[in-house]
Amino acid sequence: NTEQSMMAMLFFGNRSVFGTLSSAISAKFLEIAVDPQGMAPEIRRGGAQQFNHDVLTFAELFDSHSFPSRISTNINPMERACAASRLMSAEPAHIQSLRKALNDLATPSSGIITLLERRNDVEEHDFMPRLNLDDFYADERLVEEAQSMLSAKGYGVLELEEVISIINRVR
């Protein structure tokens, strides 16, 4: 019985350490992607692709050692990090399409871009103003519709503010 008890402690202790590491690394990846401190004002495609590769490598490592405790109603933190890195490294046309859809949802009657919002380094037809989270929270239905749209596009595990943070920084 003592040997079985010791084996059970080692097994569950190992699971606990592994789960803690997985959660910590996932949270750090998500923090890097969302950038709440504003340390990375721009996301470049090459860097985003490398970041996506790194996140997916860690996700595969942790997934290969997954435990039944992952089967819960909570969203897996690594799943959120993977979705964020996938969004960051998406094709420019995909990002532009998502940005336009969110912009159209938040400002359905506004097609006018003020001179102050225009950037000199992009063509007028390619320009899309920065998304503003406040525009969505002015009406709770907009948040729900935006979140539903993100779910349909495969980013439902991310919060609207996380998606907007990423989209506004992708170049």
Side-chain angles (χ1 to χ4, degrees):
N1 278 354
T2 307
E3 187 175 323
Q4 285 179 336
S5 177
M6 183 64 110
M7 291 300 287
M9 276 184 17
L10 288 174
F11 176 75
F12 289 111
N14 184 26
R15 286 179 62 176
S16 176
V17 169
F18 192 82
T20 301
L21 281 173
S22 175
S23 292
I25 290 172
S26 302
K28 186 50 83 176
F29 277 142
L30 188 60
E31 182 181 330
I32 290 167
V34 175
D35 190 36
Q37 284 83 30
M39 300 295 287
E42 290 187 351
I43 298 171
R44 298 288 178 176
R45 185 150 165 72
Q49 288 173 323
Q50 181 62 51
F51 180 73
N52 186 46
H53 175 269
D54 296 345
V55 170
L56 293 178
T57 299
F58 273 95
E60 187 176 309
L61 170 72
F62 289 120
D63 192 44
S64 68
H65 293 92
S66 64
F67 301 112
S69 62
R70 277 187 59 199
I71 304 171
S72 68
T73 57
N74 296 334
I75 294 172
N76 180 333
M78 188 58 83
E79 185 180 357
R80 295 183 72 227
C82 288
S85 70
R86 194 174 67 249
L87 176 60
M88 291 169 66
S89 63
E91 292 291 326
H94 179 74
I95 297 282
Q96 194 69 358
S97 168
L98 188 55
R99 179 193 310 252
K100 182 176 180 352
L102 287 170
N103 186 60
D104 290 348
L105 181 63
T107 56
S109 62
S110 174
I112 301 171
I113 300 171
T114 67
L115 292 175
L116 295 175
E117 291 175 323
R118 177 173 279 158
R119 289 182 31 193
N120 294 331
D121 62 339
V122 292
E123 295 293 323
E124 183 175 334
H125 65 277
D126 290 336
F127 179 74
M128 191 62 59
R130 290 179 60 83
L131 296 170
N132 185 344
L133 191 59
D134 293 338
D135 292 341
F136 291 91
Y137 284 108
D139 182 349
E140 187 62 33
R141 291 176 304 164
L142 290 177
V143 175
E144 291 172 13
E145 287 182 41
Q147 203 65 51
S148 176
M149 180 174 52
L150 293 175
S151 292
K153 300 241 183 216
Y155 304 110
V157 295
L158 297 173
E159 297 294 325
L160 177 61
E161 69 184 76
E162 295 168 337
V163 171
I164 287 175
S165 170
I166 292 169
I167 287 177
N168 280 339
R169 292 179 297 121
V170 170
R171 301 287 177 249

